Amino acid sequence: MNETLPEGTLQLPPQWSTIAPEVDAMYYFIYWVSVVFTIAIFGAMVWFMWKYRRRPGVKSKQPGHATALEITWTFAPLILLVILFHEGFTGYVKGAVAPEDSLEVRVRGMQWNWEFEHRGGVIDDLNYLRVPVNTPVRLVMSSSDVLHSFFIPTMRVKRDVVPGMYSTLWFEATHRTPDITCESDEQCPEAMWCGKVPPGGTERKCSLPIFCTEYCGAPTGITASAFSEGGRNTNHSTMMGDLAVVTMEEYDAFIEEGPPPPPECESADDPAACWGENLHSNYCVACHSVDGVAQAPAPNWKGLYGNQRQFADGSSATADENYIRQSILQPQSQIVQGYSNVNMPPFRFSDRQLDAIIAYMRSLNE
Amino acid sequence: MTAEVAPQPHSSAHDESEGYLTHERGLKSWLFTLDHKRIGLMYLGSVLAAFLLGGIMALLVRTELLFPGETLMEADTYNQVFTLHGAIMVFLFIIPSVPAALGNFFLPIMLGTKDVAFPKLNLGSFYIYVLGTIFTLIAIIVGHVDTGWTFYTPYSARADSSVIWMTMGVFILGFSSILTGVNFIATVHKMRAPGLHWKRLPLFIWGIYATSIIQVLATPVLAITLFLLTMEKTLTVGIFDPALGGDPVLFQHFFWFYSHPAVYIMILPGMAVVNEVIATFSQRKIFGYMFVAMSSISLALLGFLVWGHHMFTAGMSEYATMVFSALTFLVAIPSGVKVFNWVATLYQGSISFASPMLYSLGFLALFTIGGLTGLFLGILSVDIHLHDTYFVVAHFHYVMVGGTVFGFISGLHYWWPKMTGKMYNETLAKIAFWFVFIGFNVTFFSQFIMGSQGMPRRYYDYLDQFQPLHMASSGGAYILGVGFLIMLFMFIKSLMSGEKAPPNPWASAGYEWLTTTPVHPHNFAEPPVMTRGPYDYHLCTEEELWDGFPEDFEKQAEKA
Ligand SMILES: [Cu+2]
Ligand SMILES: [Cu+2]
């Protein structure tokens, strides 16, 4: 059942995308050009070094004029360079312009995680990107803090992710990633790593690594690798993600249902509230506390549900399901009084996720 | 004007018959000296100290990367260490290494003149360099600089305030470069000895001259950029930080508008040294002299037009990307011309493999690899894959270390006898060379493979699959380190107990070997008149190419 996976070479990782063969062909072309030049130059050097080593009684000869030779080796390489440039540029344009019918995925880089939002506002688990096989996928990327760069070696794509602007890249994966459970990288096929537990799963799976290649710092006190532990990344060198290539059917099913609840919530007393708590600790805990004590920088969630809200523009409303839903999807539509100096970013959750958050808020009031 | 210089009688009290090292004594005679040779030596001391510091940082980096996860230090410390490694090596060591240290010492001697055009300005530049170094050291000691030597915004705009100290330090160092550049340009134009017309100018001077042009034109841009960054940080004016309404990519344009030409500020002087060494140890004029000289100038000018090749993934327009890629390929032409001509110089030479020559031949080999791997990065589609990986790290180390540092060390060995008046132990020097050469290749060749396999740079931690290559790279770094320690020992030993050096130990036709050793305080007892080119071995008398002491030559002549 395992279709054969692409294999890499000593120099380049396996080719997982449609553009990879072209990029590699260019790479090997210039590689062989370099090898020829290196052998020619080193060969001449070594030969002269041997032949004209200093010997008693043998004097050096002074060079005469060799203008023809000089002009030849000044301009002959130009032809080669023009070819290199032309091939490289056409390849680049192909990689830069996405096909019309590409599927779009929004990517948000932040210190030190990647967030992926799919069609219909479905946000997948943090650092987990799934794409359908044999379909061009266009990533529209932005950063909420510093520079990052999105890099998938097996797809031969890379693009800086810049705050204050959108950048895009596209690729078309040619193989589905096999379902292999793992505990360490060695158990995974070439150029794959043992990624995190996929959303809704219970065991870690091999996936294609996504790297951040623009330096983005680290907080103090980070010592151990976060790779094997899953969860949130801690610094530039662990700002990685999992790329899972799935079939179109699997992808569509995922979009229909949104990301599944974490498996540990299935057996919880209140599965919805458990999921909501999980979402809170992934996305909201930085600003919102839930203990009813701490206030800044955002309203406390304890006692929020059903409460009367006072807004900065003087109006007011009751915090019911619809209000909370809107506060999450469009936070700027009404600003709670006293909190106008921090901007809450909009979150796009599936209906099931929103229900889970509301269930969690309600459970805080009990 | 210079043609009319006549020997001038000296009324000063100090003893003229001694060399420049001893004719005046005491700390003050060094700190306030206007002698370009002493200033050169003070630079040499400082850049070597910087090299040692940067080298220790490099070894810390490589040790941390021996294994994934924590080996020596935490992530944040690692980020500071690699930042310091880069910043110290680039700004405190490589940029001033050849021009400020060796250039200061030899440029006036090779021009047959007494000093640079503006001796006081020269001393001033040195103290500006010291001031810049102090700022940088303060940033290192009290601060927390973890931005990488590129100081990319908005990360640097939000980082700790010691980044301001660091950028101020680099800002000040920039002025030192500019002033030295101006001084050298003026000296080359105005102070050449009679008979030293442009077609006889030693290629070392051509290289330093081209470098000075870039320093004067490009460094102000760096200064402005760092100044704007400082303004942004202290006064929160939005320039580069999008949170304040700035544009982070603008910073990259500014930064590389300086830093690409700076690559030539770093490599041209290395090439300049290699010219002299290859000519001397092949006993032959550099093949295609005028083409080599002009290739330096065209590198200097082309270097201004290609900065965008550092930003192919940053989101420039497709057209800008295309133009930068095309121009980048053009840079290969003058670089190739140099390599071909050096190899052709060996042809029909009389080649000696003394230690300076070994380093220059090493330069030739490593620079060829460094240059060719640059082509990979110029090809747009391939660069997308390789950008910001270890492939780039390996490429620029081949150019900067294999090129500039090998050139600098070659020059250091070559001119050591002239500067210190002492010979060194050639066997030790050769042993050190092999350690350095092999260690270097092990360290950085493995990084090419790591990089093309996808290992990103500036990573504290990495996937297990890269571990063997990281291990090899670190092992190479230790071999390299041992090589430099042997070299250090060898030079110290030479200072303490080296044999007295004859005036022209390498039998060179170069002008700087015409004067006495140790060098006369005014370079030449009599202002020289140049009657032949610096590589005209066929026009030299036997006495000029005598590699022993002048007394012995007379004895030899009598015998014959
Ligand atoms: Cu990042
Ligand atoms: Cu460049």
mmCIF file with all atom_site columns, all heavy atoms in Angstrom, chain A residues 11 54 60-61 70 158 212 215 221 225, chain B residues 74 146 283-284 341 351 385 387 452 459 461:
data_model
loop_
_atom_site.group_PDB
_atom_site.id
_atom_site.type_symbol
_atom_site.label_atom_id
_atom_site.label_alt_id
_atom_site.label_comp_id
_atom_site.label_asym_id
_atom_site.label_entity_id
_atom_site.label_seq_id
_atom_site.pdbx_PDB_ins_code
_atom_site.Cartn_x
_atom_site.Cartn_y
_atom_site.Cartn_z
_atom_site.occupancy
_atom_site.B_iso_or_equiv
_atom_site.pdbx_formal_charge
_atom_site.auth_seq_id
_atom_site.auth_comp_id
_atom_site.auth_asym_id
_atom_site.auth_atom_id
_atom_site.pdbx_PDB_model_num
ATOM 1   N N   . GLN A 1 11  ? 23.527 15.571 -2.243  1.00 0.00 ? 11  GLN A N   1
ATOM 2   C CA  . GLN A 1 11  ? 23.481 17.024 -2.093  1.00 0.00 ? 11  GLN A CA  1
ATOM 3   C C   . GLN A 1 11  ? 22.091 17.582 -1.851  1.00 0.00 ? 11  GLN A C   1
ATOM 4   O O   . GLN A 1 11  ? 21.941 18.617 -1.216  1.00 0.00 ? 11  GLN A O   1
ATOM 5   C CB  . GLN A 1 11  ? 24.074 17.687 -3.334  1.00 0.00 ? 11  GLN A CB  1
ATOM 6   C CG  . GLN A 1 11  ? 25.534 17.357 -3.508  1.00 0.00 ? 11  GLN A CG  1
ATOM 7   C CD  . GLN A 1 11  ? 26.123 18.050 -4.700  1.00 0.00 ? 11  GLN A CD  1
ATOM 8   O OE1 . GLN A 1 11  ? 26.000 19.251 -4.862  1.00 0.00 ? 11  GLN A OE1 1
ATOM 9   N NE2 . GLN A 1 11  ? 26.755 17.294 -5.566  1.00 0.00 ? 11  GLN A NE2 1
ATOM 10  N N   . ARG A 1 54  ? 61.012 25.807 -8.233  1.00 0.00 ? 54  ARG A N   1
ATOM 11  C CA  . ARG A 1 54  ? 62.316 26.461 -8.333  1.00 0.00 ? 54  ARG A CA  1
ATOM 12  C C   . ARG A 1 54  ? 63.440 25.432 -8.364  1.00 0.00 ? 54  ARG A C   1
ATOM 13  O O   . ARG A 1 54  ? 63.490 24.540 -7.532  1.00 0.00 ? 54  ARG A O   1
ATOM 14  C CB  . ARG A 1 54  ? 62.515 27.409 -7.153  1.00 0.00 ? 54  ARG A CB  1
ATOM 15  C CG  . ARG A 1 54  ? 63.749 28.263 -7.285  1.00 0.00 ? 54  ARG A CG  1
ATOM 16  C CD  . ARG A 1 54  ? 63.716 29.423 -6.335  1.00 0.00 ? 54  ARG A CD  1
ATOM 17  N NE  . ARG A 1 54  ? 62.603 30.340 -6.621  1.00 0.00 ? 54  ARG A NE  1
ATOM 18  C CZ  . ARG A 1 54  ? 62.306 31.374 -5.848  1.00 0.00 ? 54  ARG A CZ  1
ATOM 19  N NH1 . ARG A 1 54  ? 63.000 31.611 -4.766  1.00 0.00 ? 54  ARG A NH1 1
ATOM 20  N NH2 . ARG A 1 54  ? 61.302 32.171 -6.159  1.00 0.00 ? 54  ARG A NH2 1
ATOM 21  N N   . SER A 1 60  ? 63.161 32.350 -14.125 1.00 0.00 ? 60  SER A N   1
ATOM 22  C CA  . SER A 1 60  ? 61.794 32.556 -14.610 1.00 0.00 ? 60  SER A CA  1
ATOM 23  C C   . SER A 1 60  ? 61.848 33.337 -15.912 1.00 0.00 ? 60  SER A C   1
ATOM 24  O O   . SER A 1 60  ? 62.811 34.041 -16.190 1.00 0.00 ? 60  SER A O   1
ATOM 25  C CB  . SER A 1 60  ? 61.014 33.356 -13.575 1.00 0.00 ? 60  SER A CB  1
ATOM 26  O OG  . SER A 1 60  ? 61.596 34.630 -13.421 1.00 0.00 ? 60  SER A OG  1
ATOM 27  N N   . LYS A 1 61  ? 60.785 33.203 -16.725 1.00 0.00 ? 61  LYS A N   1
ATOM 28  C CA  . LYS A 1 61  ? 60.685 34.013 -17.940 1.00 0.00 ? 61  LYS A CA  1
ATOM 29  C C   . LYS A 1 61  ? 59.621 35.074 -17.706 1.00 0.00 ? 61  LYS A C   1
ATOM 30  O O   . LYS A 1 61  ? 58.588 34.810 -17.102 1.00 0.00 ? 61  LYS A O   1
ATOM 31  C CB  . LYS A 1 61  ? 60.270 33.121 -19.112 1.00 0.00 ? 61  LYS A CB  1
ATOM 32  C CG  . LYS A 1 61  ? 61.363 32.167 -19.566 1.00 0.00 ? 61  LYS A CG  1
ATOM 33  C CD  . LYS A 1 61  ? 61.173 31.834 -21.054 1.00 0.00 ? 61  LYS A CD  1
ATOM 34  C CE  . LYS A 1 61  ? 62.150 30.765 -21.494 1.00 0.00 ? 61  LYS A CE  1
ATOM 35  N NZ  . LYS A 1 61  ? 61.788 29.423 -20.950 1.00 0.00 ? 61  LYS A NZ  1
ATOM 36  N N   . GLU A 1 70  ? 43.740 37.366 -23.001 1.00 0.00 ? 70  GLU A N   1
ATOM 37  C CA  . GLU A 1 70  ? 43.024 38.104 -21.951 1.00 0.00 ? 70  GLU A CA  1
ATOM 38  C C   . GLU A 1 70  ? 41.582 38.363 -22.363 1.00 0.00 ? 70  GLU A C   1
ATOM 39  O O   . GLU A 1 70  ? 40.647 38.177 -21.585 1.00 0.00 ? 70  GLU A O   1
ATOM 40  C CB  . GLU A 1 70  ? 43.715 39.442 -21.668 1.00 0.00 ? 70  GLU A CB  1
ATOM 41  C CG  . GLU A 1 70  ? 45.082 39.324 -21.035 1.00 0.00 ? 70  GLU A CG  1
ATOM 42  C CD  . GLU A 1 70  ? 45.022 38.892 -19.569 1.00 0.00 ? 70  GLU A CD  1
ATOM 43  O OE1 . GLU A 1 70  ? 43.922 38.873 -18.990 1.00 0.00 ? 70  GLU A OE1 1
ATOM 44  O OE2 . GLU A 1 70  ? 46.087 38.549 -19.026 1.00 0.00 ? 70  GLU A OE2 1
ATOM 45  N N   . LYS A 1 158 ? 10.811 28.836 -0.572  1.00 0.00 ? 158 LYS A N   1
ATOM 46  C CA  . LYS A 1 158 ? 11.171 29.657 0.584   1.00 0.00 ? 158 LYS A CA  1
ATOM 47  C C   . LYS A 1 158 ? 10.697 31.076 0.314   1.00 0.00 ? 158 LYS A C   1
ATOM 48  O O   . LYS A 1 158 ? 10.769 31.560 -0.821  1.00 0.00 ? 158 LYS A O   1
ATOM 49  C CB  . LYS A 1 158 ? 12.683 29.651 0.767   1.00 0.00 ? 158 LYS A CB  1
ATOM 50  C CG  . LYS A 1 158 ? 13.173 30.492 1.910   1.00 0.00 ? 158 LYS A CG  1
ATOM 51  C CD  . LYS A 1 158 ? 14.680 30.499 1.998   1.00 0.00 ? 158 LYS A CD  1
ATOM 52  C CE  . LYS A 1 158 ? 15.264 29.178 2.389   1.00 0.00 ? 158 LYS A CE  1
ATOM 53  N NZ  . LYS A 1 158 ? 16.313 28.769 1.465   1.00 0.00 ? 158 LYS A NZ  1
ATOM 54  N N   . CYS A 1 212 ? 11.793 27.845 9.848   1.00 0.00 ? 212 CYS A N   1
ATOM 55  C CA  . CYS A 1 212 ? 11.876 29.302 9.738   1.00 0.00 ? 212 CYS A CA  1
ATOM 56  C C   . CYS A 1 212 ? 13.336 29.623 9.455   1.00 0.00 ? 212 CYS A C   1
ATOM 57  O O   . CYS A 1 212 ? 14.213 29.269 10.229  1.00 0.00 ? 212 CYS A O   1
ATOM 58  C CB  . CYS A 1 212 ? 11.444 29.994 11.019  1.00 0.00 ? 212 CYS A CB  1
ATOM 59  S SG  . CYS A 1 212 ? 11.800 31.756 10.983  1.00 0.00 ? 212 CYS A SG  1
ATOM 60  N N   . TYR A 1 215 ? 16.265 34.704 10.964  1.00 0.00 ? 215 TYR A N   1
ATOM 61  C CA  . TYR A 1 215 ? 16.529 34.710 12.397  1.00 0.00 ? 215 TYR A CA  1
ATOM 62  C C   . TYR A 1 215 ? 15.462 35.515 13.145  1.00 0.00 ? 215 TYR A C   1
ATOM 63  O O   . TYR A 1 215 ? 15.156 36.654 12.791  1.00 0.00 ? 215 TYR A O   1
ATOM 64  C CB  . TYR A 1 215 ? 17.916 35.302 12.648  1.00 0.00 ? 215 TYR A CB  1
ATOM 65  C CG  . TYR A 1 215 ? 18.202 35.494 14.102  1.00 0.00 ? 215 TYR A CG  1
ATOM 66  C CD1 . TYR A 1 215 ? 18.404 34.396 14.926  1.00 0.00 ? 215 TYR A CD1 1
ATOM 67  C CD2 . TYR A 1 215 ? 18.246 36.756 14.661  1.00 0.00 ? 215 TYR A CD2 1
ATOM 68  C CE1 . TYR A 1 215 ? 18.640 34.555 16.268  1.00 0.00 ? 215 TYR A CE1 1
ATOM 69  C CE2 . TYR A 1 215 ? 18.491 36.930 16.003  1.00 0.00 ? 215 TYR A CE2 1
ATOM 70  C CZ  . TYR A 1 215 ? 18.690 35.828 16.808  1.00 0.00 ? 215 TYR A CZ  1
ATOM 71  O OH  . TYR A 1 215 ? 18.914 35.990 18.136  1.00 0.00 ? 215 TYR A OH  1
ATOM 72  N N   . GLY A 1 221 ? 16.600 31.483 28.869  1.00 0.00 ? 221 GLY A N   1
ATOM 73  C CA  . GLY A 1 221 ? 16.250 30.287 29.624  1.00 0.00 ? 221 GLY A CA  1
ATOM 74  C C   . GLY A 1 221 ? 15.849 29.084 28.797  1.00 0.00 ? 221 GLY A C   1
ATOM 75  O O   . GLY A 1 221 ? 15.389 28.089 29.347  1.00 0.00 ? 221 GLY A O   1
ATOM 76  N N   . SER A 1 225 ? 15.723 20.996 23.404  1.00 0.00 ? 225 SER A N   1
ATOM 77  C CA  . SER A 1 225 ? 15.002 20.986 22.152  1.00 0.00 ? 225 SER A CA  1
ATOM 78  C C   . SER A 1 225 ? 13.521 20.830 22.406  1.00 0.00 ? 225 SER A C   1
ATOM 79  O O   . SER A 1 225 ? 13.101 20.058 23.249  1.00 0.00 ? 225 SER A O   1
ATOM 80  C CB  . SER A 1 225 ? 15.498 19.817 21.327  1.00 0.00 ? 225 SER A CB  1
ATOM 81  O OG  . SER A 1 225 ? 14.623 19.596 20.275  1.00 0.00 ? 225 SER A OG  1
ATOM 82  N N   . GLU B 2 74  ? 22.665 28.125 26.715  1.00 0.00 ? 74  GLU B N   1
ATOM 83  C CA  . GLU B 2 74  ? 21.259 28.175 26.323  1.00 0.00 ? 74  GLU B CA  1
ATOM 84  C C   . GLU B 2 74  ? 21.080 28.936 25.000  1.00 0.00 ? 74  GLU B C   1
ATOM 85  O O   . GLU B 2 74  ? 22.014 29.598 24.526  1.00 0.00 ? 74  GLU B O   1
ATOM 86  C CB  . GLU B 2 74  ? 20.433 28.818 27.426  1.00 0.00 ? 74  GLU B CB  1
ATOM 87  C CG  . GLU B 2 74  ? 20.856 30.231 27.749  1.00 0.00 ? 74  GLU B CG  1
ATOM 88  C CD  . GLU B 2 74  ? 19.843 30.900 28.662  1.00 0.00 ? 74  GLU B CD  1
ATOM 89  O OE1 . GLU B 2 74  ? 19.898 30.654 29.886  1.00 0.00 ? 74  GLU B OE1 1
ATOM 90  O OE2 . GLU B 2 74  ? 18.994 31.647 28.150  1.00 0.00 ? 74  GLU B OE2 1
ATOM 91  N N   . ASP B 2 146 ? 21.760 40.319 20.296  1.00 0.00 ? 146 ASP B N   1
ATOM 92  C CA  . ASP B 2 146 ? 21.474 38.996 19.722  1.00 0.00 ? 146 ASP B CA  1
ATOM 93  C C   . ASP B 2 146 ? 20.775 39.132 18.381  1.00 0.00 ? 146 ASP B C   1
ATOM 94  O O   . ASP B 2 146 ? 19.918 38.351 18.032  1.00 0.00 ? 146 ASP B O   1
ATOM 95  C CB  . ASP B 2 146 ? 20.608 38.183 20.684  1.00 0.00 ? 146 ASP B CB  1
ATOM 96  C CG  . ASP B 2 146 ? 19.204 38.739 20.779  1.00 0.00 ? 146 ASP B CG  1
ATOM 97  O OD1 . ASP B 2 146 ? 19.013 39.926 20.460  1.00 0.00 ? 146 ASP B OD1 1
ATOM 98  O OD2 . ASP B 2 146 ? 18.285 37.992 21.148  1.00 0.00 ? 146 ASP B OD2 1
ATOM 99  N N   . GLN B 2 283 ? 58.867 34.717 -9.052  1.00 0.00 ? 283 GLN B N   1
ATOM 100 C CA  . GLN B 2 283 ? 59.899 35.542 -9.683  1.00 0.00 ? 283 GLN B CA  1
ATOM 101 C C   . GLN B 2 283 ? 59.432 36.001 -11.064 1.00 0.00 ? 283 GLN B C   1
ATOM 102 O O   . GLN B 2 283 ? 60.166 35.907 -12.044 1.00 0.00 ? 283 GLN B O   1
ATOM 103 C CB  . GLN B 2 283 ? 61.202 34.744 -9.813  1.00 0.00 ? 283 GLN B CB  1
ATOM 104 C CG  . GLN B 2 283 ? 61.765 34.298 -8.500  1.00 0.00 ? 283 GLN B CG  1
ATOM 105 C CD  . GLN B 2 283 ? 62.641 35.343 -7.858  1.00 0.00 ? 283 GLN B CD  1
ATOM 106 O OE1 . GLN B 2 283 ? 63.644 35.768 -8.396  1.00 0.00 ? 283 GLN B OE1 1
ATOM 107 N NE2 . GLN B 2 283 ? 62.241 35.815 -6.681  1.00 0.00 ? 283 GLN B NE2 1
ATOM 108 N N   . ARG B 2 284 ? 58.211 36.473 -11.113 1.00 0.00 ? 284 ARG B N   1
ATOM 109 C CA  . ARG B 2 284 ? 57.664 36.766 -12.414 1.00 0.00 ? 284 ARG B CA  1
ATOM 110 C C   . ARG B 2 284 ? 56.652 37.893 -12.271 1.00 0.00 ? 284 ARG B C   1
ATOM 111 O O   . ARG B 2 284 ? 55.968 38.022 -11.254 1.00 0.00 ? 284 ARG B O   1
ATOM 112 C CB  . ARG B 2 284 ? 56.930 35.511 -12.923 1.00 0.00 ? 284 ARG B CB  1
ATOM 113 C CG  . ARG B 2 284 ? 56.635 35.518 -14.404 1.00 0.00 ? 284 ARG B CG  1
ATOM 114 C CD  . ARG B 2 284 ? 56.362 34.104 -14.866 1.00 0.00 ? 284 ARG B CD  1
ATOM 115 N NE  . ARG B 2 284 ? 56.193 34.064 -16.304 1.00 0.00 ? 284 ARG B NE  1
ATOM 116 C CZ  . ARG B 2 284 ? 55.013 34.003 -16.905 1.00 0.00 ? 284 ARG B CZ  1
ATOM 117 N NH1 . ARG B 2 284 ? 53.899 33.941 -16.217 1.00 0.00 ? 284 ARG B NH1 1
ATOM 118 N NH2 . ARG B 2 284 ? 54.953 33.990 -18.228 1.00 0.00 ? 284 ARG B NH2 1
ATOM 119 N N   . ASN B 2 341 ? 44.582 34.894 -14.423 1.00 0.00 ? 341 ASN B N   1
ATOM 120 C CA  . ASN B 2 341 ? 45.877 35.549 -14.537 1.00 0.00 ? 341 ASN B CA  1
ATOM 121 C C   . ASN B 2 341 ? 46.859 35.078 -13.477 1.00 0.00 ? 341 ASN B C   1
ATOM 122 O O   . ASN B 2 341 ? 48.047 34.972 -13.737 1.00 0.00 ? 341 ASN B O   1
ATOM 123 C CB  . ASN B 2 341 ? 45.715 37.069 -14.478 1.00 0.00 ? 341 ASN B CB  1
ATOM 124 C CG  . ASN B 2 341 ? 45.305 37.629 -15.825 1.00 0.00 ? 341 ASN B CG  1
ATOM 125 O OD1 . ASN B 2 341 ? 46.021 37.502 -16.806 1.00 0.00 ? 341 ASN B OD1 1
ATOM 126 N ND2 . ASN B 2 341 ? 44.130 38.219 -15.890 1.00 0.00 ? 341 ASN B ND2 1
ATOM 127 N N   . ILE B 2 351 ? 59.078 28.753 -9.085  1.00 0.00 ? 351 ILE B N   1
ATOM 128 C CA  . ILE B 2 351 ? 58.158 28.804 -7.947  1.00 0.00 ? 351 ILE B CA  1
ATOM 129 C C   . ILE B 2 351 ? 58.786 28.232 -6.689  1.00 0.00 ? 351 ILE B C   1
ATOM 130 O O   . ILE B 2 351 ? 59.255 27.091 -6.663  1.00 0.00 ? 351 ILE B O   1
ATOM 131 C CB  . ILE B 2 351 ? 56.869 28.025 -8.263  1.00 0.00 ? 351 ILE B CB  1
ATOM 132 C CG1 . ILE B 2 351 ? 56.235 28.598 -9.536  1.00 0.00 ? 351 ILE B CG1 1
ATOM 133 C CG2 . ILE B 2 351 ? 55.897 28.105 -7.108  1.00 0.00 ? 351 ILE B CG2 1
ATOM 134 C CD1 . ILE B 2 351 ? 55.130 27.745 -10.094 1.00 0.00 ? 351 ILE B CD1 1
ATOM 135 N N   . HIS B 2 385 ? 16.120 27.975 -2.909  1.00 0.00 ? 385 HIS B N   1
ATOM 136 C CA  . HIS B 2 385 ? 16.313 26.821 -2.039  1.00 0.00 ? 385 HIS B CA  1
ATOM 137 C C   . HIS B 2 385 ? 17.479 27.038 -1.067  1.00 0.00 ? 385 HIS B C   1
ATOM 138 O O   . HIS B 2 385 ? 17.405 26.643 0.093   1.00 0.00 ? 385 HIS B O   1
ATOM 139 C CB  . HIS B 2 385 ? 16.557 25.576 -2.888  1.00 0.00 ? 385 HIS B CB  1
ATOM 140 C CG  . HIS B 2 385 ? 16.837 24.340 -2.077  1.00 0.00 ? 385 HIS B CG  1
ATOM 141 N ND1 . HIS B 2 385 ? 15.915 23.806 -1.200  1.00 0.00 ? 385 HIS B ND1 1
ATOM 142 C CD2 . HIS B 2 385 ? 17.928 23.547 -1.983  1.00 0.00 ? 385 HIS B CD2 1
ATOM 143 C CE1 . HIS B 2 385 ? 16.433 22.733 -0.625  1.00 0.00 ? 385 HIS B CE1 1
ATOM 144 N NE2 . HIS B 2 385 ? 17.653 22.557 -1.072  1.00 0.00 ? 385 HIS B NE2 1
ATOM 145 N N   . HIS B 2 387 ? 19.066 29.965 -0.066  1.00 0.00 ? 387 HIS B N   1
ATOM 146 C CA  . HIS B 2 387 ? 19.141 31.196 0.725   1.00 0.00 ? 387 HIS B CA  1
ATOM 147 C C   . HIS B 2 387 ? 18.957 30.918 2.217   1.00 0.00 ? 387 HIS B C   1
ATOM 148 O O   . HIS B 2 387 ? 18.104 30.129 2.604   1.00 0.00 ? 387 HIS B O   1
ATOM 149 C CB  . HIS B 2 387 ? 18.054 32.163 0.241   1.00 0.00 ? 387 HIS B CB  1
ATOM 150 C CG  . HIS B 2 387 ? 18.074 33.466 0.968   1.00 0.00 ? 387 HIS B CG  1
ATOM 151 N ND1 . HIS B 2 387 ? 19.018 34.432 0.700   1.00 0.00 ? 387 HIS B ND1 1
ATOM 152 C CD2 . HIS B 2 387 ? 17.309 33.953 1.955   1.00 0.00 ? 387 HIS B CD2 1
ATOM 153 C CE1 . HIS B 2 387 ? 18.799 35.456 1.503   1.00 0.00 ? 387 HIS B CE1 1
ATOM 154 N NE2 . HIS B 2 387 ? 17.777 35.199 2.272   1.00 0.00 ? 387 HIS B NE2 1
ATOM 155 N N   . SER B 2 452 ? 22.727 22.493 1.386   1.00 0.00 ? 452 SER B N   1
ATOM 156 C CA  . SER B 2 452 ? 21.901 22.112 0.245   1.00 0.00 ? 452 SER B CA  1
ATOM 157 C C   . SER B 2 452 ? 20.874 21.064 0.668   1.00 0.00 ? 452 SER B C   1
ATOM 158 O O   . SER B 2 452 ? 19.834 20.924 0.038   1.00 0.00 ? 452 SER B O   1
ATOM 159 C CB  . SER B 2 452 ? 22.773 21.615 -0.906  1.00 0.00 ? 452 SER B CB  1
ATOM 160 O OG  . SER B 2 452 ? 23.516 20.501 -0.500  1.00 0.00 ? 452 SER B OG  1
ATOM 161 N N   . TYR B 2 459 ? 20.831 28.494 13.669  1.00 0.00 ? 459 TYR B N   1
ATOM 162 C CA  . TYR B 2 459 ? 20.023 27.574 14.467  1.00 0.00 ? 459 TYR B CA  1
ATOM 163 C C   . TYR B 2 459 ? 20.822 27.086 15.664  1.00 0.00 ? 459 TYR B C   1
ATOM 164 O O   . TYR B 2 459 ? 21.916 26.554 15.510  1.00 0.00 ? 459 TYR B O   1
ATOM 165 C CB  . TYR B 2 459 ? 19.605 26.372 13.615  1.00 0.00 ? 459 TYR B CB  1
ATOM 166 C CG  . TYR B 2 459 ? 18.225 26.490 13.010  1.00 0.00 ? 459 TYR B CG  1
ATOM 167 C CD1 . TYR B 2 459 ? 17.715 27.732 12.664  1.00 0.00 ? 459 TYR B CD1 1
ATOM 168 C CD2 . TYR B 2 459 ? 17.438 25.363 12.792  1.00 0.00 ? 459 TYR B CD2 1
ATOM 169 C CE1 . TYR B 2 459 ? 16.453 27.846 12.104  1.00 0.00 ? 459 TYR B CE1 1
ATOM 170 C CE2 . TYR B 2 459 ? 16.176 25.470 12.232  1.00 0.00 ? 459 TYR B CE2 1
ATOM 171 C CZ  . TYR B 2 459 ? 15.680 26.708 11.890  1.00 0.00 ? 459 TYR B CZ  1
ATOM 172 O OH  . TYR B 2 459 ? 14.438 26.804 11.340  1.00 0.00 ? 459 TYR B OH  1
ATOM 173 N N   . ASP B 2 461 ? 19.583 24.745 17.577  1.00 0.00 ? 461 ASP B N   1
ATOM 174 C CA  . ASP B 2 461 ? 19.227 23.345 17.690  1.00 0.00 ? 461 ASP B CA  1
ATOM 175 C C   . ASP B 2 461 ? 18.908 22.836 16.290  1.00 0.00 ? 461 ASP B C   1
ATOM 176 O O   . ASP B 2 461 ? 18.583 23.628 15.414  1.00 0.00 ? 461 ASP B O   1
ATOM 177 C CB  . ASP B 2 461 ? 17.982 23.256 18.573  1.00 0.00 ? 461 ASP B CB  1
ATOM 178 C CG  . ASP B 2 461 ? 17.789 21.875 19.130  1.00 0.00 ? 461 ASP B CG  1
ATOM 179 O OD1 . ASP B 2 461 ? 18.577 20.988 18.784  1.00 0.00 ? 461 ASP B OD1 1
ATOM 180 O OD2 . ASP B 2 461 ? 16.844 21.692 19.904  1.00 0.00 ? 461 ASP B OD2 1
#
